[in-house]
Amino acid sequence: QQWYSNSMKVICMWLADRLDLQLHIYQLKTLIKIVKKTYRDFRLQGVMEGTLNSKTYDTVHSRLTVEEATVSVTDAGGLQGITMKDSDE
């Protein structure tokens, strides 16, 4: 649980440092993959929902979703099917 929480905090702080900058397409694609994989792996390991869906995770998820929407409007096909939307949804 601590590893997951710390990972999300690092990503959240990195995004906060770049709050006024739009992410490059490659940064966005990489972060989406990292966040989704981390979330899924720790969910499979039995980490509690309260830890998984923390305020930090919600902040990261919201920022990446906004960045994803911006890219989809400005650069058609830029993400090439990579999305924050979970395949389970």
Side-chain angles (χ1 to χ4, degrees), residues 11 14-15 22-36 60-72 74-75 78-80 82-84:
I11 293 170
W14 189 85
L15 288 170
Q22 183 178 351
L23 296 177
H24 189 275
I25 186 78
Y26 297 112
Q27 291 173 320
L28 180 58
K29 289 166 76 171
T30 303
L31 283 172
I32 287 173
K33 287 180 182 180
I34 289 170
V35 170
K36 286 179 71 174
V60 169
H61 188 277
S62 296
R63 170 72 187 272
L64 294 178
T65 302
V66 168
E67 291 284 345
E68 176 187 337
T70 302
V71 167
S72 67
T74 59
D75 184 13
L79 290 175
Q80 301 165 339
I82 298 171
T83 178
M84 279 305 292

Side-chain angles (χ1 to χ4, degrees), residues 7-71:
S7 298
M8 286 301 137
K9 284 179 188 175
V10 167
I11 293 170
C12 189
M13 287 187 313
W14 189 85
L15 288 170
D17 289 344
R18 290 148 185 83
L19 195 56
D20 56 341
L21 301 172
Q22 183 178 351
L23 296 177
H24 189 275
I25 186 78
Y26 297 112
Q27 291 173 320
L28 180 58
K29 289 166 76 171
T30 303
L31 283 172
I32 287 173
K33 287 180 182 180
I34 289 170
V35 170
K36 286 179 71 174
K37 176 108 175 95
T38 302
Y39 183 91
R40 286 182 183 147
D41 286 353
F42 280 91
R43 184 178 64 193
L44 288 173
Q45 292 297 321
V47 174
M48 305 287 282
E49 287 292 320
T51 303
L52 287 173
N53 297 317
S54 65
K55 177 133 176 75
T56 305
Y57 173 77
D58 289 340
T59 302
V60 169
H61 188 277
S62 296
R63 170 72 187 272
L64 294 178
T65 302
V66 168
E67 291 284 345
E68 176 187 337
T70 302
V71 167

